[in-house]
Amino acid sequence: MWEYIEERIIKCAEYIVETGCTVRTCSARFGISKSTVHKDVSERLRLIDKDLYEAVREVLEKNLSERHIRGGIATKTKYQHESKKNK
């Protein structure tokens, strides 16, 4: 694997572990696609650093389990904002 790809993978993985952010947030931070971040941290990272891979996997599983809650909160906020705008 090319060196710049390995560096990108490690940087993304460390950022996810440090902040507990989502793949979407990480992709916005580093200016790469969500698909690339997901492939980097879920497949390629395992070949580079197994311990870091396990740490990232825990964060991603936590985010996945909380996804429906964040979606509900976002929808609630959206409609509260719209109802205030219409008054």
Side-chain angles (χ1 to χ4, degrees), residues 35-51:
S35 301
T36 301
V37 172
H38 191 268
K39 186 163 182 92
D40 283 352
V41 298
S42 65
E43 295 178 18
R44 296 177 181 139
L45 181 60
R46 186 175 351 145
L47 305 173
I48 298 171
D49 188 341
K50 288 191 185 259
D51 293 332

Side-chain angles (χ1 to χ4, degrees), residues 24-86:
R24 182 177 297 228
T25 306
C26 183
S27 70
R29 167 76 166 80
F30 290 100
I32 52 180
S33 73
K34 293 182 303 185
S35 301
T36 301
V37 172
H38 191 268
K39 186 163 182 92
D40 283 352
V41 298
S42 65
E43 295 178 18
R44 296 177 181 139
L45 181 60
R46 186 175 351 145
L47 305 173
I48 298 171
D49 188 341
K50 288 191 185 259
D51 293 332
L52 186 56
Y53 167 77
E54 290 297 326
V56 169
R57 203 177 83 181
E58 286 178 21
V59 172
L60 294 180
E61 286 177 4
K62 176 181 166 278
N63 288 340
L64 181 64
S65 69
E66 295 174 349
R67 180 174 62 186
H68 67 285
I69 296 168
R70 283 193 302 272
I73 292 170
T75 303
K76 179 181 175 183
T77 304
K78 173 186 172 184
Y79 286 109
Q80 285 177 340
H81 180 71
E82 285 182 7
S83 69
K84 288 179 184 177
K85 188 192 270 186
N86 293 332

